[in-house]
């Protein structure tokens, strides 16, 4: 009896990213078939069973990868911080700008003043650039409200993006991002408010998939971060961490100790932290956009990640101040050029490992039977082109949950 498919994509070259296959898991003359939004066949055309697929799409020899996953973004915010870019050009550091009332605090003021509709409208503009490059799953953090009302409004706006576009949105609560002015410098009191007021209310509204924090000298201490993590776990929420970006507060080890999904940035992580991440199965997420924008000189310890077999992902860190980047393709080129990631590390890092960093590897990130049929179809001769080109987008088509999805809004 013929196998039933809704859609069959044939005459394609596949980069499955499946872990049991070497490298990118390539299959020449491959096919992908979907039924009810999920992959029911992926493999060589010679292995395809007889089928009565409703739609048959000849890919003309193009490459198919899993839909891309941007696992670290801050897409929802008000205003912009172009003035801080100008300040950095004059020599001001991230810390100096932050202590002068800029940085996250500046975005907080603009975000608090924005309505939910305004946050959705501006967020969609940024999201559409990422969608146009084949992104089918995206994480969006809060953290520019720093009060309960605005954090809720920001998370609702993030969820609205997933209703307005054919894309999977994963939300993270980042209340422990910075200290708001009304806290009068009392970080412990603010963390109490995050744990006792914000997190319970947001968890009750079911607005988040994970809880994040910024563990840094200009943000929150390891002890304060641990309190946030313990509260998150009490609500059954997984955790993530901005760790070791500007200094080594042993954030990577802290993230590992709490079983975090990911630890992100990691420029100053030491070997002890890398070992801890690897043992915990916590994904190391590198963010070359922030490294580039801040003109940092200490790169993440890529050689140590390789040495210890750490799961390695990369993302845009799209945000208004330190990584105003809305191109995952450019993020891959930056990671290869600035951090010396290989082609395979970059491509696996924005598919399989990025999905792992969100706790979504069972649903997306590879071309495997049972997963959502999220595809990016490319006009390229070899996958290396996706990393090597700068300012060039070869996306031919995007598929989300088995359905052809717009590359850009109509």
């Amino acid at each position: 009896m013929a196998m039933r498919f809704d859609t069959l994509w044939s005459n394609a070259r596949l980069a499955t990213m499946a872990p049991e296959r070497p490298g990118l898991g390539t299959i020449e003359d491959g096919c992908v078939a979907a039924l009810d939004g999920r992959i029911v066949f992926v493999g060589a055309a010679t292995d395809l069973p007889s089928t009565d697929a409703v739609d048959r799409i000849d890919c003309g020899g193009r490459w198919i990868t899993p839909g891309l996953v941007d696992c670290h973004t801050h897409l929802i915010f008000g205003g912009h911080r172009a003035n801080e870019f100008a300040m950095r050009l004059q020599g001001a550091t991230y810390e100096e700008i932050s202590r002068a009332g800029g940085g996250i605090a500046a975005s907080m003021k603009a975000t608090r003043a924005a309505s939910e509709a305004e946050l959705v409208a501006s967020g969609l503009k940024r999201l559409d650039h990422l969608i146009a490059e084949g992104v089918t799953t995206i994480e969006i953090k809060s953290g520019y409200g720093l009060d309960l009302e605005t954090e809720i409004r920001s998370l609702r706006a993030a969820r609205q993006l997933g209703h307005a576009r054919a894309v999977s949105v994963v939300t993270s609560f980042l209340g422990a991002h910075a200290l708001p002015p009304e806290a009068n410098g009392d970080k412990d009191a603010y963390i109490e408010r995050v744990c006792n007021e914000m997190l319970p209310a947001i968890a009750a509204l079911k607005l988040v998939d994970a809880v994040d924090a910024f563990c840094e000298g200009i943000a929150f201490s390891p002890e304060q971060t641990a309190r946030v993590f313990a509260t998150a776990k009490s609500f059954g929420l997984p955790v993530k961490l901005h760790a070791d970006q500007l200094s080594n507060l042993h954030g990577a080890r802290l993230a590992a100790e709490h079983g975090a999904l990911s630890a992100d940035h990691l420029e100053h992580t030491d070997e002890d932290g890398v070992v801890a991440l690897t043992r915990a199965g916590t994904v190391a997420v590198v963010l070359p956009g922030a490294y580039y924008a801040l003109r940092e000189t200490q790169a993440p310890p890529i050689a140590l990640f390789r040495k210890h077999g750490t799961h390695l992902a990369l993302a845009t860190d799209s945000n208004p101040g330190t990584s105003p980047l809305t191109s995952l393709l450019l993020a891959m080129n930056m990671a290869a050029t600035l951090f010396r990631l290989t082609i395979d590390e970059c491509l696996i890092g924005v598919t399989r490992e990025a999905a792992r960093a969100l706790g979504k590897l069972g649903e997306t990130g590879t071309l495997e039977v049972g997963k959502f049929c999220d595809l990016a179809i490319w006009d390229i001769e070899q996958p290396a082109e996706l990393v090597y080109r700068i300012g060039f987008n070869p996306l031919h088509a995007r598929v989300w949950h088995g359905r052809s999805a717009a590359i850009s809004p109509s």
Side-chain angles (χ1 to χ4, degrees), residues 238-255:
V239 298
K240 306 167 68 66
L241 187 63
H242 288 60
D244 304 337
Q245 179 184 9
L246 306 173
S247 62
N248 185 11
L249 295 185
H250 306 290
R253 187 175 64 198
L254 176 67

Side-chain angles (χ1 to χ4, degrees), residues 283-299:
V283 180
V285 181
V286 296
L287 304 169
Y291 177 91
Y292 168 85
L294 294 173
R295 293 189 290 180
E296 294 289 349
T297 57
Q298 182 162 328

Side-chain angles (χ1 to χ4, degrees), residues 324-345:
L325 174 64
T326 51
S327 171
L328 198 51
L329 294 179
L330 180 54
M332 283 196 287
N333 180 273
M334 286 180 170
T337 303
L338 300 175
F339 299 162
R340 298 296 189 261
L341 264 65
T342 67
I343 298 296
D344 287 9
E345 286 170 337

